[in-house]
Each structure stands twice: as C-alpha cells, then as structure tokens.
Amino acid sequence: MQSTPFTYINFDTLIIVHSAEVSIFFRKNAAAVARKAGEPLVIEEVIVAAPKAHEVRIRIICTSLCHSDITFWKLKDPPGYFPRILGHESIGVVESIGEDVDEVTEGDIVIPSFMADCGACADCKSKKSNQCSNFPFKVSPWMHREETSRFTDLKGETLYHFLYVSSFSEYTVVDVAHLVKVDPAVPPNRACLLSCGVSTGVGAAWRTANVEARSTVAIFGLGAIGLAVAEGARICGASRIIGVDVNPDKFERGKKFGVTDFVDSASCGDKSLSEVIKEMTGGGADYCFECVGLASLCHVSLAFVKGWGKTVVLGLDKPGTQLSFSSFEVLLSGKTITGSLFGGLKPKHDIPILVKRYMDKSSQQWLAGDLGRQSKRETPTPEGNRELFDNETLAE
C-alpha cells in the first residue's frame, strides 16, 4: 500500500507523527540537560521518542541527586558524554509500552535501576551474582539493546542517556530489563532512593558482606551510602558499627542509622588512623566498607580488617585509578576485598522486598531515616534484626 504523506499534530506536549502504516507518538517535555562538563544544567524542551520493542516510556514522579551524577557531570572525556540527560535515582509511572513488554502496563508504578535484571541469563538465575550477562553494566550513552538514543532537542540534536535511566526529564524511555514494578502506595519521595543509594548501602551489608550478628563493622565515609551501610549492618545484627569521617557532626546523624562509635580521621593526634581503629576493636574490624571513592582508603580499609575480615568497596574513584597489593600480603593475610555494585542486589527480586519492609508498619523502623524512619523505636536484638530478612531472603 502506498504511503500517504506524514502529518504532524502538536497538542502541547504530544506530537503525533502519522502515515498510512504507522503512528508514532513523541513527547515534548522539559528536561535538565547537561550541555558541557561541569557547566550548570539547562532546563529546556526536548523530544522523547516512543518506546521500541522491550522498552517502556515512563513519567518521572520523583528523582533525587546521586553523587554519581555529579561525578559523570564533571568528566570531560568518555565515559563523560555531552549533551546528556543525567539522573538515575527515581520512581515513575508507565505511560506507554513497546512491543514484547509483558511485565508492566500503563499506569504501573516502577522504579528504574541502572542494573539490568533480565531474569533469563545464567547470571540472573544464579544466587552468586547480580550482574546480568545479557545486559552487562557499562556507562553507555545509549539504550541497552541498541546504540541509539530516545532523546533529541528541538533542533534535532541527539541527547545522550545516562545509566539507562536519565531521570532528569519529565519523561524517559527505559528498557524493561531495568524496571521494577512496585507497590503504588509507597511514597515516591522515599522510594526513589531505593533506585540506587539506599539499596546499594543496605545491600552491601546484607548481600555482599553478609554481616554476621554481634560482629564489628567499620564504615569509611558517612554520606548517604555509608549511612545506608550502617543501617544494613544494624539490621544484620552487628554489635558495633564504627563510623569514620572528617566531619564530626555526622556522628549524631549516624546514630539514627545504627552507628555506635565515631572516629574523626582528621583528629587522631599522634596516632595513625590504623592504630586508633585497632585499639578500639582489639585488633581490627570484621568488616570494612569504603564509601568515599578513594583508592587510598581501599588500602586503609583492608588494613583495618582482621585476618578473616572482608573489605567491601562501594566508592567510585576516577576512571583508571589502580589498586596495588603485594602478593606476600594477599597470601598471608587471608583477607578479602570485593566490590559491591548496587549492593549485590538483584533489582527485580530485592527492591520489592525493601519496599515491602518499608510499607510494613512493624518494619518501618529499620529503613534509612531519609526513608521515613520513626523517631522513636525499640532496638531489637541481633537475632530480631536478622529475622526482618530471614523469612524471605537470607535463607536462599
């Protein structure tokens, strides 16, 4: 059949491109665009294309700022790409779906995740990894299944994606492998934090380190990630949680998340930080978490753990930064150092668990204070903390 000429109909934000064979719905909406590295974001109108197969277009309800957004906003070279729409900690509602999408439908509330979870590959089926082999993580400026963008500006210039989410836009297109359907009753300004920061920290203690009850934990950096690690360690029953930071004011806030002791790393006097920690713990911590993003602190964290201890790296240093250990040290110490991307969580399985625990009034106390922790609570026993997860996950 012969095609008829395309017609363009613009109803404020909805643009319909129509021919005899196809109708394609584009959206015109506001977005915060990073035009150049380190320069202020520009609020401008952009065009958001319709979702293709396995893709979903969502309206962003709430988004927050993660330090990773700032890190990549500053990068002048790849994986810094410009112009770009940043943002990845968010929650939204499904506006439209492409072909071969059956997990969600229009109107569903979803949390995007920069980690893919296809549910079909060997890694997604394994309990040992949260890395999807079909859609491995990388800092790509494109959609995951094909190297194209769904964003253009009003001049037709391509705008790059960020971490497969790009939530600094009223609408965005996300691959269904990166979407998690959640309870629509969850408060959006709380749930968006589960898209990255809180899940990463809690998961690092819960999934990656598998912190044991009555253990000692040291956390380097009491920012959002570090506080979430403290919460996760408390849930798992750690008896001592030591926060290490250059800002002593963070101790009071840290107490709300389970921090029991604080070390001001800038005020150790004549003693080294290592000496202070080892004196406090009787030889070292059972678990250390590096939440700042400095290679030097990775070395310090590894030095602090006991012979059987585990160091978990969550901070992101500059691209190309190297870690160096002597083979003698690695062989004789018996210590473990491991990375923890998204806290080792499987998004489609574990995010709903975190949401459920938050929505369960009896368990609201344990989620991060920024997620609405009650100001007054009883502190459960270590065994009681652990049971918050035991029934559904820890036994798996």
Side-chain angles (χ1 to χ4, degrees), residues 310-386:
K310 180 180 290 187
T311 291
V312 181
V313 179
L314 294 95
L316 177 66
D317 209 331
K318 297 178 181 178
T321 302
Q322 302 291 314
L323 294 177
S324 177
F325 304 99
S326 72
S327 59
F328 186 80
E329 176 188 5
V330 172
L331 175 63
L332 296 188
S333 70
K335 301 176 182 179
T336 300
I337 182 169
T338 182
S340 182
L341 190 59
F342 197 58
L345 301 184
K346 291 181 179 294
K348 293 182 187 291
H349 180 265
D350 292 325
I351 287 179
I353 291 173
L354 297 180
V355 170
K356 181 178 182 298
R357 291 302 185 185
Y358 173 72
M359 297 301 293
D360 182 352
K361 292 182 180 179
S362 66
S363 300
Q364 276 194 5
Q365 62 191 18
W366 62 258
L367 265 178
D370 286 341
L371 284 175
R373 183 209 298 266
Q374 297 171 355
S375 59
K376 295 183 180 180
R377 62 176 175 83
E378 294 181 0
T379 302
T381 63
E383 290 79 5
N385 284 341
R386 195 74 173 187

Side-chain angles (χ1 to χ4, degrees), residues 91-92 103-104 109-113 115 117 175-183 346-352 355:
I91 185 171
E103 292 184 36
V104 297
I109 301 299
V110 291
I111 291 179
S113 169
M115 294 290 291
D117 188 352
D175 192 287
V176 71
H178 290 271
L179 286 178
V180 181
K181 182 179 176 180
V182 297
D183 184 346
K346 291 181 179 294
K348 293 182 187 291
H349 180 265
D350 292 325
I351 287 179
V355 170

Side-chain angles (χ1 to χ4, degrees), residues 78-356:
Y81 296 91
F82 299 92
R84 191 176 215 168
I85 298 178
L86 297 166
H88 62 285
E89 275 192 343
S90 58
I91 185 171
V93 58
V94 175
E95 179 256 9
S96 57
I97 61 175
E99 296 180 359
D100 302 318
V101 174
D102 53 17
E103 292 184 36
V104 297
T105 189
E106 289 87 350
D108 284 344
I109 301 299
V110 291
I111 291 179
S113 169
F114 66 88
M115 294 290 291
D117 188 352
C118 75
C121 69
D123 286 340
C124 285
K125 291 180 178 180
S126 170
K127 297 175 183 178
K128 298 179 180 180
S129 172
N130 69 337
Q131 301 276 356
C132 177
S133 52
N134 281 340
F135 305 105
F137 174 78
K138 55 184 177 180
V139 188
S140 168
W142 309 112
M143 295 295 295
H144 216 150
R145 294 176 196 258
E146 57 178 74
E147 293 193 345
T148 57
S149 174
R150 300 294 171 268
F151 296 110
T152 55
D153 63 15
L154 296 186
K155 296 179 180 180
E157 181 183 9
T158 296
L159 302 174
Y160 295 117
H161 290 253
F162 181 62
L163 297 183
Y164 311 110
V165 179
S166 292
S167 59
F168 291 174
S169 173
E170 290 181 297
Y171 286 82
T172 187
V173 178
V174 181
D175 192 287
V176 71
H178 290 271
L179 286 178
V180 181
K181 182 179 176 180
V182 297
D183 184 346
V186 65
N189 63 340
R190 304 293 194 262
C192 68
L193 301 179
L194 294 174
S195 188
C196 182
V198 170
S199 294
T200 296
V202 172
W206 164 35
R207 285 291 196 197
T208 304
N210 192 21
V211 169
E212 296 178 334
R214 298 185 176 85
S215 59
T216 298
V217 170
I219 303 169
F220 292 84
L222 292 182
I225 299 293
L227 293 174
V229 170
E231 185 70 3
R234 188 189 67 81
I235 295 166
C236 293
S239 60
R240 197 171 189 187
I241 303 173
I242 304 169
V244 183
D245 203 287
V246 296
N247 183 357
D249 294 337
K250 291 185 178 181
F251 185 30
E252 286 303 314
R253 185 170 182 80
K255 290 178 181 178
K256 300 177 182 179
F257 295 80
V259 175
T260 60
D261 302 87
F262 181 82
V263 176
D264 182 350
S265 57
S267 303
C268 292
D270 296 332
K271 296 181 180 179
S272 68
L273 183 57
S274 177
E275 290 174 326
V276 172
I277 296 291
K278 288 184 177 181
E279 286 181 5
M280 292 177 64
T281 59
D286 300 301
Y287 306 92
C288 280
F289 296 84
E290 197 287 317
C291 305
V292 178
L294 292 175
S296 59
L297 281 182
C298 294
H299 289 275
V300 172
S301 299
L302 188 63
F304 284 170
V305 292
K306 296 178 179 177
W308 59 82
K310 180 180 290 187
T311 291
V312 181
V313 179
L314 294 95
L316 177 66
D317 209 331
K318 297 178 181 178
T321 302
Q322 302 291 314
L323 294 177
S324 177
F325 304 99
S326 72
S327 59
F328 186 80
E329 176 188 5
V330 172
L331 175 63
L332 296 188
S333 70
K335 301 176 182 179
T336 300
I337 182 169
T338 182
S340 182
L341 190 59
F342 197 58
L345 301 184
K346 291 181 179 294
K348 293 182 187 291
H349 180 265
D350 292 325
I351 287 179
I353 291 173
L354 297 180
V355 170
K356 181 178 182 298

